[in-house]
């Protein structure tokens, strides 16, 4: 497919997903607080959002502000985030990120990719999550659902797994104003229909409308 064909297909897919999941939003319960989403995004690495939400209830009860987290004892932070895994590294990151936010930004999260990447433990995935959900900027969060599903749609080869390459491919194809919403909808779609091991292709509106390259190929095989 040419680039303009991919863009047209993705926009049709976006429309269908918006009908399926009209109220899609970030599954991390950050209560609209930029600092909390920064912390929760870091804790979500190799951990479910559901567990992060549970852990952060106690974490934010003990450290309700960036300043209090910045001044907190590392050992206590480690104990609180232990259920999220990799707790030594994650505790160090969220404490350092809180310190930077307070000391360099007066507690106000910056709104550029370059500045967000300066924070401890923040890569492009978390930075794009913050840019989209906090600042409502065009942002593609290339999590496992996005990578798997958009490959199946035919936006790039299914063998492509590089998050940065995929972000660069999808950014000019997706509708800028709703790209963040698209990523949240892909998460829900991935959990409900387009799972990694057993996708429910027979129940998929995307495939029914001929918009999924993976399904189109499967149908072609069945006809032979």
């Amino acid at each position: 497919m040419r680039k303009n064909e991919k863009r047209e297909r993705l926009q049709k897919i976006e429309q269908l997903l918006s009908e399926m999941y009209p109220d899609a939003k970030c599954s991390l319960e950050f209560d609209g607080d930029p600092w909390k989403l920064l912390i929760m995004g870091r804790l979500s690495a190799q951990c479910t959002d559901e567990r992060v939400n549970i852990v952060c209830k106690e974490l934010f009860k003990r450290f309700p502000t960036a300043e209090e987290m910045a001044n907190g004892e590392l050992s206590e932070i480690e104990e609180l985030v232990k259920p999220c895994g990799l707790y030594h590294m994650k505790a160090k990151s969220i404490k350092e990120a809180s310190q930077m936010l307070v000391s360099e930004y007066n507690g106000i999260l910056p709104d550029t990719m370059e500045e967000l990447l300066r924070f401890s433990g923040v890569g492009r995935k978390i930075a794009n999550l913050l840019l989209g959900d906090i600042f409502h900027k065009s942002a593609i969060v290339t999590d496992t659902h996005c990578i798997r599903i958009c490959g199946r749609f035919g936006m790039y080869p299914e063998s492509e797994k590089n998050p940065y390459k995929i972000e660069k491919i999808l950014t000019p194809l997706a509708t800028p104003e709703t790209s963040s919403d698209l990523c949240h909808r892909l998460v829900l779609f991935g959990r409900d229909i387009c799972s990694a091991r057993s996708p429910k292709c027979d129940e998929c509106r995307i495939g029914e409308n001929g918009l999924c390259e993976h399904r189109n190929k499967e149908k072609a095989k069945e006809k032979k």
Side-chain angles (χ1 to χ4, degrees), residues 168-188:
K168 294 304 177 186
I169 291 169
L170 292 178
T171 296
L173 302 179
T175 305
E177 297 80 11
T178 56
S179 59
S180 179
D181 293 333
L182 169 64
C183 295
H184 293 319
R185 289 175 176 130
L186 287 171
V187 170
L188 297 175

Side-chain angles (χ1 to χ4, degrees), residues 38-173:
L38 171 68
I39 299 306
M40 297 178 87
R42 179 66 185 99
L43 293 178
S44 69
Q46 298 181 44
C47 182
T48 65
D49 290 351
E50 183 179 13
R51 177 168 293 181
V52 172
N53 287 333
I54 293 170
V55 167
C56 282
K57 286 181 180 179
E58 288 302 314
L59 179 66
F60 294 143
K61 185 177 179 180
R62 175 64 185 86
F63 301 106
T65 67
E67 187 171 3
E68 288 173 276
M69 178 79 76
N71 294 322
E73 288 292 332
L74 184 59
S75 59
E76 185 177 4
I77 298 171
E78 287 179 339
E79 191 62 31
L80 286 166
V81 304
K82 198 170 186 177
C84 293
L86 305 172
Y87 65 97
H88 290 302
M89 188 185 306
K90 290 182 179 181
K92 183 173 182 289
S93 287
I94 64 176
K95 179 177 170 65
E96 290 176 350
S98 298
Q99 288 173 333
M100 178 180 283
L101 186 65
V102 171
S103 63
E104 296 191 32
Y105 294 96
N106 197 31
I108 300 172
L109 195 72
D111 65 351
T112 68
M113 173 66 74
E114 293 71 25
E115 289 179 293
L116 290 171
L117 291 176
R118 296 185 61 232
F119 285 85
S120 179
V122 173
R124 294 189 68 88
K125 177 183 169 183
I126 296 175
N128 275 313
L129 178 67
L130 293 163
L131 290 172
D133 277 65
I134 300 300
F135 302 107
H136 309 293
K137 294 188 174 185
S138 176
I140 298 290
V141 179
T142 50
D143 62 9
T144 55
H145 292 291
C146 175
I147 291 170
R148 175 182 74 254
I149 295 168
C150 289
R152 287 175 176 172
F153 288 160
M155 299 300 108
Y156 41 82
E158 288 189 54
S159 59
E160 180 60 73
K161 302 297 180 184
N162 184 294
Y164 181 69
K165 285 184 181 179
I166 290 170
E167 178 191 335
K168 294 304 177 186
I169 291 169
L170 292 178
T171 296
L173 302 179

